[in-house]
Structures are given as structure tokens and as C-alpha cells.
Amino acid sequence: MDLPCPEWIRHVEQKWTKLRTEETERFCLLKDIDAIFNYGLSLICPADLNAFSRISEKYSVKKSPERASEFRQQGNQSFKVKDYTTAALYYSKGVCHADKNTEELSLCYANRSAALFYHGLYRECLEDIQRSLEAGYPNHLQDKLKARQTACLCHLKKPEKFNQPAAHQQTPPWQKSINTCISPGVSVYFSSEKGRHILATENKPAGDVVLEDEAFCCVLIPSTIKAGKINTEDRHCHHCLSQSLSFVPCPNCSYVRYCGESCQKDAWERWHQWECPVGADLLAIGVLGHLALRVALKAGHLEVERVKKSTSQDNHMACSFYKSDSPVKLSLGDPCRESSDHSDCYHGNSYMGIYSLLPHVAQHSPSSRFLLAITMAVLYRRLQSGAPPDMWASCENKEFSGTWRSEMSMLGATALRHMLQLRCNAQGVIAVMVKEESGMAVQSSSEIRIATAIFPVLSLLNHSCSPNTSISFNTGFQSDPLNQSGCSEGHIGCPETFHSRVTVTIRASKDLTAGEEILHCYGPHCSRMEVNKRQRLLLEQYYFQCNCQACQRDLSEGSKNATENTAPGLKCAKCAKPLRSHMDKYVCSWPSCGHQITSTDMQNKLKGLRCLLDQAFHLMERDRLDEALKILKSTSSQANSILMETHPLQGELADATARVYATTCEWRLAASHLKRSIVAIQAQFGEDSIELGRQLFKLAQLHFNSRDCGAAISVIPRAQKLLSLHCGPHCEELQELKEMESCLEGLL
């Protein structure tokens, strides 16, 4: 839900079509963001505000005792079947919907304390018991609560277990993170052709950290799944994004939840006290609008005004510095020399680093600019129903404190600027989610986008469809050097404090040579998307025609393939030789065979196989494993007749079959099918990919569980290499592999 909801988009589209010709022409000519916002603000009428109110009512964030009771009952059902994780998450949803200091709230806290107790989270259990008592837990039920309290205290007197799960994952001491840290041997450069970009100034081996950056702001992505279900959003703190089972709610709305009182207080002081009254409106305008407002709220009136003033002053500086076509090295704190928006200098992780990102006003279509301007104008009007944010209400004349002055429209214009920027500079925050399936002794994991953030220095990296970097994210409480600016250019030891933060680490995924540009994939990757689709998406969203090495190669090979009529991954059903495309059909490449099939028939066969695989997944989710396995065997047999072993669909079928066998503890059968999956994964993503690393990790688990020590020992080193390369030396999978390795070495 990055963009505003469909109902609001339709309303604004109708408003756009009803503008008079002179109004449309005037708007189209506007390129100054302040002028665009103010013109949009002048067009807002009561009908727009009423329409927006009707739409946002569907995204209600009000407390609801009825919903709280429903969630508590759902938690009770999960608790009965000993699914304590799901139970705790349902109780947390109940906590968020219950009114403060009510019996319903006390019951939700008390029930959650039981789920936490069975998870071995005794400190968190004690906290919930105390919260339940403070909320007015019924006297006649307090005996069992106090008995649980006593049991927790007894457990806490025992030595801590190293494998005890944590309610929310705090960053360990070895993850020493800083606001922004560009590695030695890496620098920011500027050229007229590429703008700001980042180069390696010395050789860097694969796996080296080249950059760490802290998100200026982030917003957790709201779920589109049915409200009664547990989803990704329900597992993460709305402030630091860490996972938890013992969330604390906002006392005024049902939407946000925090991993603890610290995040709750920090979020309230920074922005939630102003976001809370318009929470439904923020859900209606989408994640990008919400994030844009949050960036503006954090910056504050004085900082925005300072940046704008320095912009107008720097506009008069000489620009001869960039006459040369050669890249020019930029240093933190150097004055800007050419651009009126600071886009030719390096600002580190400051607000100037965000402000200087290009908004691409001219590249947005007039109707797109109109949608964003009207959306921000309406949100600004809704904010005016409450007191102005402190960071935007400061003025020398105390007589006006607490009132919305006309010059505060800069808040709306600033948020509009950031919303325009976010189209090209928003970064999805990815988490590896492990599926919690009953009976699964081997992890089934996938990458899920949990939030959208803006990183000031990460945004300087240019795109490649085959990047030479990999990225990983850290959430929760992390160390924070006091001397932030000193750490922005290199690794400098300085005193540390801890606060909740979201950071990204960029590592070289390939060996880098001095002078090589450090490149990041914006989404369309050559291993996941064919070249024409990649180029179209990049042009539509990021306004550039990609000319990276992968695109050049694929376009060249595409011409070659068109000439040779190759059809990768498809084989003849008659003789198993590769197929070649010829006009609207596929023909066997073996001259003496002559078998052919129409393109339409082949696509229908592939769709049929995909449909059967989806049916198997559906059955697996419901623990109907025998039925799922029957479908998978039949589908694999059909696939083998028309698909090479390297085709992606073959990999998915083999992986699903391996999961079924792993669930029934048939480890060797599971391993044999996973090996088939690995063949397809390596062909699709490459031998140095994170996808291959995760498959090898699962294969090591299967060999370990089957007590095949030799096979496990042979797989572990390669899995370790790939996981370390992409995720760093301290990821959870690597820790598990090290434990496996130690155990196996003791057996050999």
C-alpha cells in the first residue's frame, strides 16, 4: 500500500478531469514544489474533505472492546493447541484494541502472560502480570496470576539458558552499528553524467562491508490480509521494527504497537502524538505519504528553513568545479558548488542528505503531481484540527505558540517534496521470515518486505540489474556513537549510547577493484526478470534507461537467441532435446525428431503445472501431506516431460516435495529432492547467490537430521561462505551451522 488507496485516487482523478482548462494549464506549468503545494491547497473544498473522511473511516484505528474480546478468544483457541506464539500475538492484538484501565485489557495481559510463561520468557511474563494487575484484573482470579508470578521468580533464580528465546531481539554487542559509516577505501564522487555515486578507491574482497547507513525514518507496512489473521505487521514493533511477543500499545489508538515502553515513549515524542489523531488518514494515503510526513515532522521548521535558506545562497556559487567530465571526489562538509538543491555535495546522514535527493518534479506526470499535491493538502488540513507539532510551532512570539500560522504550510510543502523523492528513493526493509509450520524440523524461510524507509547515503548508490553488493538490515536497540559526524567518513572509536534504530549494511558481493563503482539493485534483478520488463519498470519508476552490463549482455543475447530461436528451460516431450522457438510455436532442436508444440499450448501447460503446485501448497498449509505429496509427484512427472532440470518451476516443485518429506522426518528423501531444487536455484540465481546459500543451509539441516555426517560436513563450508558473504558473519543461520559443525566434528 505505497500509494493512496484506490477510492481516494479515483476521487482525485475525477477532480483533475473537472478542472477548467486554465487551471490545468497553470498547474502543469508549476515546477516549484512550494507553489505546487499551495496551488493544491487552494483547490481543496469541503467536498474533498468530506470524501476523504468517508474513505478514511474504513481504516478506523479506534479502540474496540468487542474486537479486543474476539482477539482474546482467538488467542485462547491457539493456546489450547499449545501454539503459544500465535496465542501471544492474538492477545497482543487484544491489548491494542482494549481501552486502557479496563477488565478486558487486564484479561488480555493476563492471558498473554501465560503464553509468555510457556515460551520461557519469564521477565516479560512478570511485566504482563504487573500490567494486568494495574489494569484491574478481577480479584477472584488473582490467585492463579500470583502463582504464575511466583513460578517466574523461581525460574529467574536459575542460571540463564543460552538458547532461551527472546521476546524482542536486541542487537548483540558484536553488531556495533553507527549512523553512517563509509568504509576506508570507499568514497562519494560526483560527475555530470552520473551525479553523486560511490566508488571503491582500493581493491575490496567479496564480503567486505563497504557502507553502513541508518534510516532517517521508516514506516511499518500495514497488512492487506484479513484483519482477524496474524500477519507480518503483527510481529514487528512500529518504531524499531524488532520482533516481539509482548507488545505495548498506544493508549489512544488500536493500530500501533511497540516492543517496549522505551520505543513507545520515543515514537510519541518524535511523531506519534501528531500522527495518532490522523492514523486512519495515514493508512488511507499509503506508506509513502505517511513516511513523507514523518520525515518532515522529524526535520522540523527551523531545520527545513535553514536548508532552504542555504539553498538559495548556494545557488549563486561558482560552478566551474564540475566542468570536467571526470568524477570529482566529495567530502563531508564541503560546500556545494553547482546545484541549487545541494545534489552535488555529500551530506552524510543529516537531513540535508535527505533534502538533497532529487524530487524529479518534471518527470512526474501532471496528473501524478496533482494526486500527490491534493493528498498532502488534504492531510495538512486534517492536521490543522489539532495543535501544531512542536518542531513546527516554535516562534519568537509566544503569543502565537500553539496556533497554526500561515507560514506553517511549509510543513505540507516539505512533506510533498519528500513524497516526490520517495518514488525513486524509498527502500524496502527486508526481513527473513521463518515459516512456523507444525512438525517442521527444517526451516522454510522467505524474504518479506516489512517496512519502507529512506536512507540518506544508501540512496546515493546507482542501480545495476546485476549488482556487486548485497544488503542486510538490522533492527532494534543498537549502539550509537556520540560523535556521529566523525564516523560518517571512516571507522572512529567513540563513546556509545543505545537507542532504537533501523540500519542497513552493504557488503561487496563480488571482488571490487579500485575505481569500480559500487552498485545496488533497485528491484528488477537479471536473475528474476527478463530484460525488457526490467527496462520498462526502471524507466516508469526511476526515469532512466538502464544500460548496466547485465542489460547490455541480455539485450545482446536476446538478439542472438532471437536469431538462433532458443527456448531456455523447455525440452521436447518426445526426445527430451531442447526446444527452439519458431514464429508462434516451439520446434525440437533435433532435426530427425520434428516434434512441435504451439506457444499457446506450452503456456497453458506451464499454467496448469503452476496451478497444481499452488494446490499442493494449499494442502501443505492444512497438514494434508499425503494429498499434497500425491499432487507433487504427479506434477513433477508432468514437468519432467517438458522442462529441463534447470527450469525455475522444477526447482519449486523439488523444494516443495523436500518440505513434505522433511515434515514426515524422511530426511534422506527430503535431501535428494532438495538437491534437485539446488540445481535449478543455481542456474537461476548463480553460484554465489544468497538464494543458493539458503538452500544449502536447508540441505545441511537435512543431512544433519539424517545423521549423514559426511554429507553435512561437505555442504556446510559452502553454505557458510555464501551466508557470510551476503548476511555478514553473525547471522542466525551461520550460528546454527557452526553449532552443527562442532557437533559433527565430535562424532567423526
Side-chain angles (χ1 to χ4, degrees):
M1 222 182 129
D2 287 343
L3 294 174
C5 64
E7 300 95 326
W8 178 245
I9 290 177
R10 286 195 293 270
H11 175 85
V12 178
E13 286 174 345
Q14 292 172 4
K15 187 178 182 71
W16 172 250
T17 58
K18 291 177 182 178
L19 290 180
R20 298 192 304 272
T21 303
E22 58 270 24
E23 290 177 322
T24 303
E25 291 176 349
R26 179 184 171 190
F27 183 84
C28 290
L29 291 173
L30 296 174
K31 294 296 182 285
D32 177 75
I33 295 175
D34 288 7
I36 293 172
F37 175 77
N38 288 323
Y39 190 60
L41 195 62
S42 71
L43 295 175
I44 298 300
C45 62
D48 297 318
L49 296 172
N50 291 335
F52 190 65
S53 295
R54 288 194 302 272
I55 291 168
S56 64
E57 282 177 358
K58 300 176 183 177
Y59 302 88
S60 175
V61 296
K62 295 178 180 178
K63 298 285 188 181
S64 170
E66 295 79 13
R67 295 292 289 149
S69 178
E70 290 173 11
F71 287 128
R72 179 167 56 83
Q73 295 303 325
Q74 287 177 289
N76 291 344
Q77 293 300 317
S78 297
F79 191 91
K80 287 178 183 177
V81 296
K82 300 183 179 180
D83 185 355
Y84 302 123
T85 297
T86 303
L89 292 171
Y90 272 126
Y91 293 142
S92 291
K93 288 172 77 75
V95 165
C96 291
H97 281 79
D99 287 313
K100 55 187 176 183
N101 299 325
T102 60
E103 182 174 306
E104 184 59 49
L105 179 62
S106 74
L107 293 172
C108 288
Y109 274 132
N111 288 12
R112 192 174 72 181
S113 73
L116 295 173
F117 180 86
Y118 283 104
H119 252 300
L121 301 172
Y122 303 119
R123 288 189 176 83
E124 290 79 3
C125 177
L126 287 173
E127 290 173 353
D128 267 6
I129 290 171
Q130 185 61 36
R131 290 167 182 150
S132 176
L133 294 171
E134 291 173 354
Y137 192 68
N139 289 331
H140 67 283
L141 299 175
Q142 287 189 11
D143 286 347
K144 63 177 181 180
L145 207 60
K146 291 179 178 178
R148 190 177 303 140
Q149 188 177 46
T150 301
C152 282
L153 293 171
C154 290
H155 279 289
L156 288 173
K157 291 178 182 178
K158 300 176 183 178
E160 294 280 350
K161 292 183 179 180
F162 290 107
N163 61 348
Q164 190 177 34
H168 48 85
Q169 301 166 355
Q170 296 190 358
T171 303
W174 38 258
Q175 283 187 342
K176 182 179 179 181
S177 179
I178 57 183
N179 283 47
T180 295
C181 186
I182 291 182
S183 167
V186 175
S187 294
V188 180
Y189 281 77
F190 178 92
S191 71
S192 55
E193 177 189 1
K194 294 184 175 181
R196 289 175 294 183
H197 55 284
I198 300 180
L199 300 178
T201 56
E202 60 185 45
N203 294 343
K204 290 280 181 183
D208 262 21
V209 174
V210 296
L211 170 67
E212 293 176 289
D213 197 14
E214 180 181 359
F216 190 83
C217 286
C218 66
V219 170
L220 191 65
I221 296 174
S223 174
T224 56
I225 301 174
K226 187 178 178 181
K229 300 291 185 180
I230 295 297
N231 50 66
T232 303
E233 178 197 10
D234 296 320
R235 302 171 187 270
H236 293 270
C237 173
H238 275 247
H239 191 54
C240 73
L241 306 185
S242 63
Q243 292 193 56
S244 177
L245 293 178
S246 55
F247 291 106
V248 295
C250 168
N252 303 311
C253 74
S254 64
Y255 177 58
V256 300
R257 56 188 62 81
Y258 304 103
C259 61
E261 279 81 1
S262 176
C263 273
Q264 180 194 51
K265 180 182 178 183
D266 194 28
W268 181 260
E269 291 175 350
R270 289 183 182 223
W271 42 64
H272 188 61
Q273 59 182 303
W274 300 287
E275 292 179 350
C276 189
V278 294
D281 301 336
L282 294 173
L283 289 173
I285 69 169
V287 170
L288 295 187
H290 188 173
L291 181 56
L293 175 67
R294 187 168 284 187
V295 172
L297 286 172
K298 180 178 178 180
H301 181 265
L302 294 179
E303 179 64 9
V304 172
E305 208 167 43
R306 184 189 70 79
V307 169
K308 290 172 74 71
K309 284 180 179 177
S310 64
T311 294
S312 60
Q313 292 169 0
D314 288 348
N315 197 26
H316 301 294
M317 299 184 73
C319 60
S320 58
F321 184 76
Y322 294 129
K323 295 295 184 183
S324 170
D325 291 333
S326 301
V328 177
K329 183 177 178 180
L330 304 178
S331 297
L332 186 65
D334 282 352
C336 300
R337 296 170 173 83
E338 182 178 58
S339 172
S340 62
D341 56 9
H342 298 278
S343 61
D344 59 2
C345 38
Y346 173 49
H347 308 285
N349 66 335
S350 66
Y351 174 67
M352 185 77 85
I354 300 295
Y355 187 89
S356 65
L357 297 173
L358 296 177
H360 295 289
V361 176
Q363 282 73 28
H364 284 77
S365 67
S367 59
S368 174
R369 295 199 299 269
F370 187 76
L371 170 64
L372 302 186
I374 294 298
T375 299
M376 273 303 163
V378 167
L379 182 61
Y380 177 73
R381 290 291 189 216
R382 301 282 285 190
L383 284 167
Q384 286 183 306
S385 62
D390 291 347
M391 293 286 283
W392 286 86
S394 57
C395 57
E396 294 181 4
N397 191 340
K398 297 297 182 182
E399 180 183 345
F400 296 103
S401 179
T403 62
W404 286 85
R405 295 169 291 130
S406 58
E407 59 267 32
M408 287 184 187
S409 65
M410 190 190 297
L411 169 62
T414 303
L416 175 59
R417 177 185 181 86
H418 297 318
M419 199 170 183
L420 289 163
Q421 291 172 321
L422 286 169
R423 181 182 178 97
C424 295
N425 293 288
Q427 171 67 51
V429 177
I430 306 298
V432 177
M433 302 297 293
V434 178
K435 295 181 182 178
E436 296 175 357
E437 298 171 303
S438 59
M440 280 295 290
V442 175
Q443 289 184 2
S444 173
S445 61
S446 59
E447 288 188 339
I448 296 178
R449 181 176 162 222
I450 61 169
T452 299
I454 185 164
F455 293 88
V457 182
L458 176 64
S459 297
L460 302 182
L461 292 178
N462 283 328
H463 167 81
S464 170
C465 297
S466 180
N468 51 21
T469 58
S470 60
I471 66 174
S472 57
F473 297 92
N474 295 316
T475 62
F477 283 87
Q478 300 175 40
S479 58
D480 177 28
L482 299 180
N483 182 8
Q484 297 172 1
S485 61
C487 291
S488 293
E489 281 285 287
H491 296 282
I492 298 176
C494 38
E496 293 178 330
T497 57
F498 287 81
H499 74 154
S500 56
R501 51 204 275 125
V502 177
T503 60
V504 62
T505 300
I506 299 94
R507 292 179 176 83
S509 59
K510 305 170 184 177
D511 290 340
L512 302 175
T513 57
E516 185 175 352
E517 184 174 1
I518 296 171
L519 299 166
H520 166 50
C521 181
Y522 291 178
H525 195 286
C526 64
S527 66
R528 301 176 181 88
M529 194 180 295
E530 58 93 17
V531 61
N532 291 324
K533 187 175 182 181
R534 297 199 310 265
Q535 296 230 312
R536 177 175 58 80
L537 289 175
L538 289 166
L539 186 60
E540 287 177 357
Q541 181 169 350
Y542 297 97
Y543 311 118
F544 69 87
Q545 188 77 40
C546 186
N547 194 38
C548 71
Q549 290 182 358
C551 282
Q552 293 180 45
R553 179 199 66 214
D554 290 353
L555 289 169
S556 174
E557 290 182 358
S559 301
K560 182 180 178 182
N561 288 342
T563 303
E564 298 179 353
N565 301 320
T566 57
L570 304 181
K571 71 179 182 182
C572 175
K574 186 176 179 181
C575 70
K577 293 292 189 295
L579 290 180
R580 295 184 183 277
S581 61
H582 178 69
M583 298 181 67
D584 61 347
K585 58 189 175 184
Y586 293 102
V587 180
C588 181
S589 60
W590 191 248
S592 61
C593 177
H595 179 71
Q596 57 183 262
I597 181 173
T598 67
S599 299
T600 301
D601 286 345
M602 177 59 76
Q603 292 305 314
N604 287 336
K605 285 179 179 290
L606 293 174
K607 287 180 182 177
L609 293 174
R610 171 64 63 185
C611 183
L612 289 169
L613 178 59
D614 290 340
Q615 288 181 30
F617 282 141
H618 186 75
L619 292 168
M620 288 164 65
E621 290 172 356
R622 284 154 181 75
D623 290 328
R624 294 161 62 180
L625 300 180
D626 289 341
E627 296 173 68
L629 187 58
K630 184 177 179 180
I631 289 177
L632 287 170
K633 286 181 176 180
S634 172
T635 308
S636 295
S637 177
Q638 295 176 51
N640 289 337
S641 68
I642 62 171
L643 300 179
M644 300 286 192
E645 64 177 359
T646 55
H647 194 282
L649 189 54
Q650 288 277 41
E652 294 181 58
L653 284 165
D655 184 79
T657 307
R659 285 172 55 193
V660 173
Y661 281 125
T663 305
T664 57
C665 299
E666 297 177 79
W667 309 117
R668 293 183 185 274
L669 280 172
S672 68
H673 284 277
L674 197 66
K675 287 177 184 177
R676 292 184 58 202
S677 169
I678 286 172
V679 172
I681 290 290
Q682 181 167 318
Q684 181 181 4
F685 297 106
E687 61 182 12
D688 292 325
S689 64
I690 182 59
E691 290 83 2
L692 180 58
R694 293 205 170 106
Q695 289 297 96
L696 290 170
F697 170 67
K698 291 196 291 186
L699 183 59
Q701 288 181 307
L702 291 172
H703 287 319
F704 182 85
N705 289 338
S706 67
R707 301 180 184 276
D708 190 342
C709 300
I713 286 291
S714 68
V715 170
I716 287 174
R718 192 177 176 200
Q720 287 176 325
K721 177 185 175 183
L722 293 177
L723 290 169
S724 179
L725 176 66
H726 293 281
C727 306
H730 305 293
C731 69
E732 290 182 14
E733 292 96 334
L734 272 177
Q735 306 312 307
E736 184 170 338
L737 286 173
K738 288 179 181 177
E739 291 175 9
M740 278 190 215
E741 197 170 34
S742 298
C743 181
L744 291 168
E745 287 172 352
L747 295 174
L748 291 175

